[in-house]
Structures are given as C-alpha cells and as structure tokens.
Amino acid sequence: MALPVAVVQGASRGLGLQFCRHVLSHKGSAALIATCRRPEAAAELRGLAERHPGRVTLLPVDVGSEEQVRAAAREVALRAGKVDLVVNCSAVLHPSGKGETGLREVTAQGVLSTLSTNTVGALLMAKHFAPLLQKGGGGFGLQPALASKRHSGILVNISAKVGSIGDNGLGGWYSYRMSKAALNMATRNLSVELGRGRSKVVCVSLHPGTVNTDLSRPYHRNVPAAQLFSTEQSVDLMMGIIDSLNMDRTGRFYSWDGSELPW
C-alpha cells in the first residue's frame, strides 16, 4: 500500500511548521509536502527537509495566487499521485498586525486582504487538491469497518473561536472574525460536496487555542499562562483530533480539546 502523504500549507513558521515536525516525528514514513511563499528563505523548514532526506518536498505557494496553488497540485500529482491529509494553516490577523477595535478602523483593503489569505486561499487549496484527496488511501483518521462510510482523505482548515458567530459576545476584529466565519462556511460547504460518492473526504475546521505565535503575540498580556499554548501543545492536541476523525464527524468545527464549537 502506498505511504500516506500529508500537505501542510503555510509551513514556514508557527503552527504550520509544527505540523510538519509532528508528521515527520510521529507518522512513520509518511511523505510531507510543505508549502510556503518562499521556501528558499524558510531556514527551519529547509533544515527539516535536510534532516529527513527523501521524505520532504518543499513547494512555493502564495495562496493569493491561484496559479501557484494549481501548479503545486500538479507537482504533487506527478510526485505522489494522491494526498491523504491537507492542513491549511496560512493566516493573518490583519495587514496592520492589529485587529480592528471598532468601525472607525475598518478599511476595504484590510478586509479584502485578510479574506484573501484566511478564506480564499484555503478554498483554492481545496479546489485544486480535492481530486488528490479523493485518490487518497485514508492514511489519517479512523476507518470504520463499513466500506460505505470509509474516507479517502482529510481536509483541515485552521480556524479560530473568534470566527464563531454564536460565541461572539465582544465584537471587534471585523476582518479576522469575518474571514474565519467565512472559512467555516467553506468547510461546511466542502463537507457536503466532498462527502458524496465513493471517494469521500472528511472536512473540518479546528480552533488551535491561543498559541504563542507571531499572529497572537500582541494579545498575550491578558491571557492566563495556563491558557497560552506552545505550538507543540496545540498541534499535539489537534493531531489527536485529526487521528480520531471519520465521516461521522465531517462538516464540524472543533476546539483544541475536541469539543464542538457553535457556528
């Protein structure tokens, strides 16, 4: 049987880089396709590839360019012929690096730029990598005995609790909240479309918790130490969820602890 293949989009730092480390250290001989805008400048990612010769492929992908996403999918098709897991990690809080506190700070450019990276990019990844996920061998998640409920691949969109409309009691952060709410809708749509037919794909959104990364660092002051995760802690928890997924759990929004979040 062909070895599992994992694709991590946004792999040069933060959660994406840690997902790469986890796959390489915990998933036997699984092959890793790691994408980011400039692989030649991603020193830590290149170091991983050097330490795991033959297992890692680095590909340039700016999710703002559909042609780059398409080209990457073609390259993976040539190299591997299928994919078992795609994790979409690329995200920005806002082009300014700070979420809006009110309407006076909202700009069209800020909203559109955030949506482009956080929502449209992940949807384009799904568009071009779905055919490869449908050819996967189900190398991640749990496979039931009933053949009609088996999945071929898993698509994971890294979302955020602040993208939950039902949980929003504070407001603010218009661009980021809207982009993650839209991403959750994309996940739900994808779960319906890719859940049909014989080659089914599990599609979920995951909330990683508050993680010590560049994206959230400006807001750590008000976060209790026990609620601030390292990238290792967050990815270990999310991979535990991914390893438990099956078609009965597709189309949902899960927090780092496995609980289901409201849309």
Side-chain angles (χ1 to χ4, degrees):
M1 185 168 70
L3 297 174
V5 179
V7 174
V8 178
Q9 178 259 103
S12 62
R13 61 180 182 167
L15 291 172
L17 181 61
Q18 186 57 36
F19 268 111
C20 292
R21 293 190 184 111
H22 187 103
V23 168
L24 292 170
S25 62
H26 291 81
K27 296 300 176 182
S29 54
L32 172 68
I33 313 292
T35 80
C36 63
R37 284 183 296 177
R38 297 179 59 215
E40 71 280 2
E44 290 186 78
L45 189 57
R46 293 180 69 84
L48 273 182
E50 291 170 3
R51 292 193 296 275
H52 298 271
R55 289 186 63 192
V56 182
T57 300
L58 306 183
L59 294 177
V61 173
D62 180 342
V63 293
S65 166
E66 183 167 7
E67 183 49 47
Q68 285 195 25
V69 176
R70 181 186 294 112
R74 287 173 178 161
E75 183 67 20
V76 175
L78 290 172
R79 289 174 177 263
K82 57 104 175 190
V83 169
D84 297 274
L85 172 68
V86 171
V87 184
N88 286 312
C89 294
S90 289
V92 295
L93 181 60
H94 187 271
S96 69
K98 181 181 178 182
E100 310 99 328
T101 59
L103 276 171
R104 66 186 179 280
E105 297 175 0
V106 171
T107 65
Q109 180 182 6
V111 174
L112 291 172
S113 178
T114 307
L115 283 165
S116 176
T117 298
N118 295 359
T119 310
V120 180
L123 187 58
L124 292 176
M125 286 289 294
K127 173 184 175 181
H128 292 287
F129 280 87
L132 292 170
L133 283 166
Q134 290 170 324
K135 295 177 181 178
F140 293 84
L142 293 177
Q143 293 289 12
L146 192 61
S148 62
K149 302 193 87 174
R150 293 176 68 84
H151 63 269
S152 57
I154 295 176
L155 172 66
V156 175
N157 289 324
I158 302 301
S159 186
K161 190 176 182 180
V162 297
S164 167
I165 295 173
D167 187 71
N168 184 4
L170 296 176
W173 288 22
Y174 281 89
S175 298
Y176 190 69
R177 285 185 185 274
M178 290 167 62
S179 72
K180 292 301 188 179
L183 178 64
N184 289 343
M185 177 58 84
T187 299
R188 184 71 173 189
N189 255 29
L190 289 164
S191 73
V192 174
E193 181 170 353
L194 301 180
R196 300 175 180 139
R198 295 178 59 186
S199 298
K200 298 177 174 62
V201 177
V202 177
C203 304
V204 297
S205 288
L206 294 183
H207 165 53
T210 303
V211 187
N212 188 8
T213 63
D214 292 341
L215 186 148
S216 64
R217 194 160 289 122
Y219 301 93
H220 289 175
R221 184 176 60 184
N222 298 320
V223 179
Q227 296 178 26
L228 181 62
F229 294 158
S230 67
T231 56
E232 292 86 352
Q233 289 172 307
S234 178
V235 168
D236 284 351
L237 290 163
M238 288 191 289
M239 282 302 304
I241 296 171
I242 292 169
D243 288 338
S244 73
L245 292 175
N246 56 34
M247 286 306 299
D248 290 332
R249 302 187 68 187
T250 193
R252 300 182 186 182
F253 182 16
Y254 296 102
S255 184
W256 55 267
D257 62 357
S259 61
E260 191 169 350
L261 291 168
W263 295 118

